[in-house]
Amino acid sequence: MNVPTLLRTSMFLLFAACLCSCANTETTPVKIEKPISLQTADWNITPFNKLSFEQAVKLSPEQEQHFLTFYNSTYNEGIAPHQRLYTYLSRFVDNFSYQNTTLSSNQALTEKTGNCMSLALVTTSLAKLAGLDISYQVINTAPVYYKQGENVVVSQHIRTKVYAKDEPIDEDTIYFGRTHIIIDYYKNQVDLPGRKIAHDEFASKYYANLAADAYANKDFELANEYSSNAMFLFPSSAENINTHALVLRRLQGLDNAINLLDKSYQKGITSLNLMSNYKSFLLAKGDKEKATLISNDIKNITDDNPYQWLELGDELYKKGKYNEALSYFEKAEALAPYLDEVFLAQAKAIFKQGNNPQLVKQKLNAALNAPIKVNEVNLYQAKLAAFESH
């Protein structure tokens, strides 16, 4: 089963602590298509306190003064405002110790630790002080797994763009977009840009992170409060719904969890995580017929993260379902034909099918020549040599 931004596995509840980076209430407008949102009555089983996101990005007077003194110093007069913010953040990050904990801006600056969401909140606070616009983009990255109690957590990464102040427009110049700096603290060559998200969704991810932490600590009442706030801010998020369903299962029972996921499914709000948990819940209730229907529908889900498909395919591969696994690996290739992993995954599935050694070699060669490689070149060379000798 799964949660926030995670993956799944029938033996674990998968949570995704979002590794995020920044936002501002005054972000640059982003056109985002939203599915039909669930109504409050669909998910609000118990009353909850509405929390203010402003507390998450509120700095102490001393912290604000420290930043503004640097930002407004005569030394920085000739440096663009967004560059000043970047420099300040760079100095802070140099002394930052990564810990898998979601902290507020104030806490992260004080303790110099936290996760990517914590750093995102710091960026948000500073950009707000400087009057700079920010936007967010989900990054599809190789999943990072870690245990929180009995739960398996899979992280999601978001990067931030901090924009320059408005510049005078030159009629003789062609403009392709606003000047900006990308704030990405843990950039990797296999990171793949995904969709843009708005401020409300970013804020909801903060509460989803806290809900995941509370859930892992078996404080289900607190998890419900945080999860409810995530739902209140962004009820059209499949991952928020997924998390909330897991919380409801603990507090209200399996029927209420299935009911929520069914309403999400009927309105077309789906994700690999949500559908995988939906299937698991149905099987737990003994509804094998509907679980089979959901299993078939999973193949038709639109998800732009190739790693999601690789992980789902790998689970099928481990169960010996090589044809189904290959279909998911092919979906990953369609999304990211420049990743060696998608071809290696296909090669192993085709090899297990046992009837097309030439195609296996073709896939290994494609992996060897892929622009972005996670695996060492000599791995592919050794595998190809083994095939050539037969």
Side-chain angles (χ1 to χ4, degrees), residues 4 15-16 18 203-213 226-227 230 240 243:
F15 270 96
C18 310
S204 80
K205 287 180 180 294
Y206 168 69
Y207 290 117
N209 270 19
L210 297 180
D213 290 341
Y226 287 137
S227 180
N240 288 346
T243 303

Side-chain angles (χ1 to χ4, degrees), residues 229-245:
N229 275 278
M231 288 290 292
F232 176 74
L233 286 167
F234 204 75
S236 61
S237 165
E239 300 308 338
N240 288 346
I241 295 168
N242 185 34
T243 303
H244 201 61

Side-chain angles (χ1 to χ4, degrees), residues 314-369:
D314 198 52
E315 182 179 298
L316 291 168
Y317 175 86
K318 291 174 182 176
K319 293 178 179 177
K321 300 180 179 181
Y322 305 124
N323 289 336
E324 291 181 67
L326 184 58
S327 70
Y328 290 148
F329 295 151
E330 288 171 346
K331 284 179 178 287
E333 180 194 353
L335 291 164
Y338 37 82
L339 280 180
D340 64 336
E341 294 171 282
V342 301
F343 299 109
L344 180 60
Q346 290 177 54
K348 69 180 185 181
I350 296 167
F351 175 75
K352 285 292 188 179
Q353 290 173 328
N355 56 7
N356 200 334
Q358 282 300 119
L359 185 55
V360 175
K361 289 168 60 177
Q362 179 184 325
K363 293 299 182 181
L364 288 174
N365 270 308
L368 179 62
N369 296 310

Side-chain angles (χ1 to χ4, degrees), residues 16 42 71 105 120 128 145 160 178 199-200 228 254 259 265-266 292 297 304 351 375 383:
D42 295 330
Y71 184 80
S105 298
K128 186 174 182 179
Y145 296 91
T160 304
R178 293 179 64 184
H199 178 265
D200 281 352
S228 294
L254 188 59
N259 185 50
Y265 173 68
Q266 294 299 330
T292 299
D297 283 352
D304 65 358
F351 175 75
N375 300 288
K383 288 181 178 294

Side-chain angles (χ1 to χ4, degrees), residues 139-142 157 184 186-193 307 372:
I139 298 298
N140 295 327
T141 188
H157 187 61
D184 197 343
Y186 298 97
K187 187 170 176 57
N188 190 298
Q189 71 158 348
V190 294
D191 289 349
L192 310 173
Y307 294 105
I372 298 178

Side-chain angles (χ1 to χ4, degrees), residues 117-128:
M117 172 61 83
S118 306
L119 287 169
L121 295 171
V122 171
T123 307
T124 301
S125 301
L126 300 182
K128 186 174 182 179

